[in-house]
Amino acid sequence: MTVLLVVLGAAVGAPLRYLTDRAVQARNGTTFPWGTFTANVIGCAVLGFLAAWPVGGGVSELASVGFCGALTTYSTFGYETLRLAEEGERLSPLFNVVASIGAGLGAASVGALLAGLVHG
């Protein structure tokens, strides 16, 4: 049952990541991976919220592991950072690393704070 919940969550998270990436990249016209950055930050915020919210009964597997796991992508982040460096970009790879980690941690913190406020 747990594996099925993870699969169901991932079936929603993965297409949402792809659609988010395409929508954001289509609007900015740069080589910087804003689409992946956006999907990762959103996923961190949702996961921070879920981690602070008292959930049970498979919600963690469905939403945290499945949905957030598929929405966020460390492998694409790593690949796109390497691609920026290989294309001769000097500051963009460094900015991608620092901004992604900082924004991800910040988003997770805000999500957790929001869960605390809502749950009270």
Side-chain angles (χ1 to χ4, degrees), residues 31-113:
T31 59
F32 190 83
W34 288 112
T36 299
F37 179 86
T38 302
N40 286 343
V41 171
I42 291 169
C44 286
V46 172
L47 189 56
F49 183 91
L50 293 170
W53 188 264
V55 297
V59 174
S60 180
E61 289 84 1
L62 175 75
S64 298
V65 178
F67 176 75
C68 290
L71 176 62
T72 60
T73 173
Y74 190 75
S75 58
T76 303
F77 158 73
Y79 165 75
E80 290 174 342
T81 302
L82 181 61
R83 184 181 48 83
L84 288 169
E86 290 174 343
E87 291 175 355
E89 297 281 341
R90 299 235 184 241
L91 295 178
S92 292
L94 180 61
F95 175 76
N96 193 32
V97 170
V98 172
S100 292
I101 292 170
L105 290 171
S109 298
V110 168
L113 178 66

Side-chain angles (χ1 to χ4, degrees), residues 2-4 15 18 21-22 36 44 57 59 78 84 86 93 97 103 107 118:
T2 300
V3 172
L4 181 59
Y18 174 78
D21 178 64
R22 294 296 86 212
T36 299
C44 286
V59 174
L84 288 169
E86 290 174 343
V97 170
V118 170

